[in-house]
């Protein structure tokens, strides 16, 4: 990895600060990734449990519908009397900066009236209505969980990329730059020390020569 940095003390201090910041950033990203993974695994377990319930609920609902069709004739006209569901609401919560959807739907309510007449229907229709209502609530819950898992997985992937970039690229780059500048400054200090020693020896030699010359003149006089 090529290092392009002027070996100065200012650059060394700035690079060390960048290195500390990169390491801190990696630790935070790693912590965020672990939290998101734990949250996602919890939701996946919940989704598996809901999926089993919803599969069973759909099976029971369609069996009930077949029974109702047999005992009441085809129930298309009766189904048209059931109002559309319009109580679905979307909200969200944040998990480490990831927006997780929250779906809510009107709770089960006991109505004082039926949407279909009792004279032309039997209890099989009531069972169909209850079973498909159960399917509706389970479907909303499963949709919320699956969408949450998708968003968490996408965020985990992006977080992993950023963490890998810091760990495998930026941190080694800053460490190599710190080493390069430190080695260059140490070498410069050694050169300066050697130069000062040479200058000191030369001054001592010149002083000794000057002293010897003065002593020679005094003896000649």
């Amino acid at each position: 990895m090529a290092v392009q940095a002027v070996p100065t003390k200012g650059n060394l201090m700035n690079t060390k600060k960048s290195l500390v910041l990169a390491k801190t950033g990696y630790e935070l990203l790693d912590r965020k990734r672990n939290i998101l993974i734990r949250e996602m695994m919890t939701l996946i377990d919940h989704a598996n449990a809901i999926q089993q319930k919803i599969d069973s609920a759909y099976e029971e609902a369609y069996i009930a519908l077949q029974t109702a069709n047999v005992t009441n004739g085809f129930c298309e006209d009766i189904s048209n009397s059931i109002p559309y569901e319009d109580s679905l609401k979307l909200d969200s919560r944040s998990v480490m900066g990831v927006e997780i959807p929250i779906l809510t739907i009107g709770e089960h309510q006991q109505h004082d009236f039926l949407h279909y007449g009792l004279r032309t229907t039997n209890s099989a229709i009531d069972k169909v209505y209850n079973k498909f209502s159960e399917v509706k609530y389970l479907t909303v819950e499963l949709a919320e969980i699956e969408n949450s898992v998708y968003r968490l997985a996408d965020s985990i992937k992006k977080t992993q990329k950023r963490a890998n970039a810091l760990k495998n690229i930026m941190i080694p780059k800053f460490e190599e730059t710190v080493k390069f500048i430190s080695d260059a400054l140490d070498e410069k200090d050694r050169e300066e020390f050697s130069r000062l020693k040479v200058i000191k020896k030369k001054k001592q030699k010149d002083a000794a020569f000057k002293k010897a010359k003065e002593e020679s003149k005094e003896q000649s006089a």
Side-chain angles (χ1 to χ4, degrees):
M1 186 184 298
V3 176
Q4 296 181 351
V6 179
T8 63
K9 291 184 178 180
N11 283 340
L12 179 61
M13 293 176 61
N14 291 333
T15 305
K16 285 183 175 180
K17 290 180 181 179
S18 298
L19 177 59
V20 171
L21 184 61
K23 288 182 176 180
T24 302
Y26 172 75
E27 292 175 359
L28 293 175
L29 288 175
D30 187 59
R31 191 180 307 168
K32 176 182 178 179
R33 177 187 57 191
N34 291 335
I35 293 174
L36 293 178
I37 289 175
R38 286 198 298 270
E39 181 74 16
M40 186 179 70
M41 295 308 297
T42 300
L43 289 176
I44 289 175
D45 292 339
H46 192 190
N48 291 333
I50 295 296
Q51 188 65 58
Q52 293 176 0
K53 289 183 181 179
I54 202 172
D55 289 343
S56 177
Y58 265 111
E59 182 179 359
E60 293 176 2
Y62 279 110
I63 291 175
L65 180 60
Q66 290 176 359
T67 302
N69 283 332
V70 170
T71 59
N72 293 270
F74 288 106
C75 304
E76 182 177 356
D77 291 338
I78 299 174
S79 67
N80 290 333
S81 67
I82 306 299
Y84 290 104
E85 179 60 64
D86 59 357
S87 64
L88 186 65
K89 296 181 180 180
L90 174 63
D91 202 349
S92 64
R93 63 187 177 93
S94 179
V95 178
M96 298 298 292
V98 182
E99 292 297 319
I100 303 300
I102 299 177
L103 293 177
T104 55
I105 192 170
E107 297 294 335
H108 296 278
Q109 297 179 359
Q110 297 295 330
H111 296 286
D112 295 331
F113 61 92
L114 295 174
H115 300 289
Y116 47 85
L118 293 177
R119 186 175 63 83
T120 57
T121 61
N122 57 22
S123 61
I125 297 295
D126 299 336
K127 186 175 182 180
V128 171
Y129 180 80
N130 291 331
K131 288 297 179 182
F132 274 98
S133 293
E134 181 182 355
V135 166
K136 176 179 64 176
Y137 290 104
L138 288 174
T139 301
V140 170
E141 188 175 359
L142 183 61
E144 174 188 316
I145 294 172
E146 287 184 342
N147 191 274
S148 299
V149 169
Y150 173 80
R151 293 191 181 191
L152 287 171
D154 184 62
S155 181
I156 289 170
K157 183 178 179 180
K158 293 178 180 178
T159 302
Q160 183 68 52
K161 285 184 177 180
R162 295 190 183 102
N164 288 341
L166 286 173
K167 181 180 179 181
N168 300 323
I169 298 176
M170 300 306 298
I171 291 177
K173 177 182 177 181
F174 288 138
E175 288 177 341
E176 186 173 355
T177 302
V178 168
K179 184 177 184 303
F180 168 77
I181 296 177
S182 297
D183 291 345
L185 291 177
D186 290 342
E187 182 64 26
K188 186 176 180 180
D189 289 340
R190 285 192 292 269
E191 290 177 356
E192 181 67 16
F193 180 73
S194 299
R195 187 179 69 83
L196 291 176
K197 284 183 67 176
V198 170
I199 293 174
K200 183 178 180 180
K201 286 183 179 180
K202 186 175 184 304
K203 286 183 177 181
Q204 289 175 345
K205 185 177 180 181
D206 291 344
F209 177 77
K210 183 177 180 181
K211 182 178 180 181
K213 188 175 182 181
E214 290 177 352
E215 289 178 351
S216 177
K217 285 181 178 180
E218 289 178 357
Q219 291 176 359
S220 298

